[in-house]
Amino acid sequence: GAGVSQSPRYKVAKRGQDVALRCDPISGHVSLFWYQQALGQGPEFLTYFQNEAQLDKSGLPSDRFFAERPEGSVSTLKIQRTQQEDSAVYLCASSDGIGGYTFGSGTRLTVV
Amino acid sequence: GENVEQHPSTLSVQEGDSAVIKCTYSDSASNYFPWYKQELGKGPQLIIDIRSNVGEKKDQRIAVTLNKTAKHFSLHITETQPEDSAVYFCAATTNYNFNKFYFGSGTKLNVKP
């Protein structure tokens, strides 16, 4: 595609619900990153994939957060038993190894 | 790990004036410094970047300077226009393709017509 596509754009979850956020990177981009952006703050790193391999997951805040990219293309970020502090914008970015990151528009998650 | 600090948090300028945003970083191994512009409801968009082997880079009205010794870098926007109004983020990393970016906390720039 022309850009990084994320869905849904908005998600409201009741506390304790599981959610799944999808990222469709630019076709052919090897690297894929997930970031969490709290209101009024800069993005914070969650995890990184190179093709299907998750090479760095040091930013995942707890074992409730899980990410996968099984075929080296689309990625899903899953949050189990959501809590209010999980409310944030979740940004996905991809890279071809030359031109740096391209971010998607993000998924705004609100946990009520 | 790396710590990136950004100032000011808000900046208001008159159209046509210049705007300067400053960032400092802590890890001397950082060697790539991108700047992103984020408009409301959108993801960050890369506007300019600089690597540690150069001290300055310019692209039309936008320039970035880097002082490796002092570990700080700055974004300069000249002849500001209302469409420059957005939140700007600086970032630092040791390997721009295969590593995490550390972002500053952002500067909200308001250009008054």
Side-chain angles (χ1 to χ4, degrees), chain A residues 23-73:
Chain A
C23 173
D24 203 337
I26 293 173
S27 179
H29 277 197
V30 169
S31 303
L32 185 146
F33 303 81
W34 284 98
Y35 281 78
Q36 181 190 59
Q37 187 174 23
L39 190 64
Q41 298 296 316
E44 291 196 359
F45 173 83
L46 293 176
T47 187
Y48 155 59
F49 290 85
Q50 187 173 343
N51 295 307
E52 68 278 5
Q54 189 174 20
L55 298 186
D56 188 344
K57 55 181 181 179
S58 61
L60 296 177
S62 77
D63 58 8
R64 296 185 297 104
F65 286 71
F66 172 76
E68 60 183 5
R69 194 186 184 197
E71 297 178 358
S73 178

Side-chain angles (χ1 to χ4, degrees), chain A residues 9 35 37 48 58 95 97-98, chain B residues 38 41 43 96-98 100-101:
Chain A
R9 287 284 281 123
Y35 281 78
Q37 187 174 23
Y48 155 59
S58 61
S95 171
I98 300 173
Chain B
Q38 188 172 29
Y96 80 102
N97 267 320
F98 304 112
K100 63 191 79 168
F101 283 12

Side-chain angles (χ1 to χ4, degrees), chain B residues 47-110:
Chain B
I47 55 172
I48 195 167
D49 56 14
I50 191 167
R51 298 179 192 276
S52 59
N53 58 345
V54 298
E56 184 173 356
K57 183 177 178 181
K58 190 172 181 180
D59 182 4
Q60 299 183 341
R61 298 186 296 109
I62 295 173
V64 57
T65 59
L66 171 65
N67 182 327
K68 286 193 298 181
T69 303
K71 297 201 195 75
H72 68 70
F73 56 113
S74 301
L75 177 71
H76 305 252
I77 306 174
T78 58
E79 301 170 24
T80 53
Q81 301 167 2
E83 51 265 38
D84 294 330
S85 296
V87 179
Y88 291 81
F89 293 97
C90 62
T93 189
T94 56
N95 184 327
Y96 80 102
N97 267 320
F98 304 112
N99 210 337
K100 63 191 79 168
F101 283 12
Y102 296 88
F103 283 85
S105 54
T107 296
K108 185 173 183 180
L109 174 64
N110 179 34

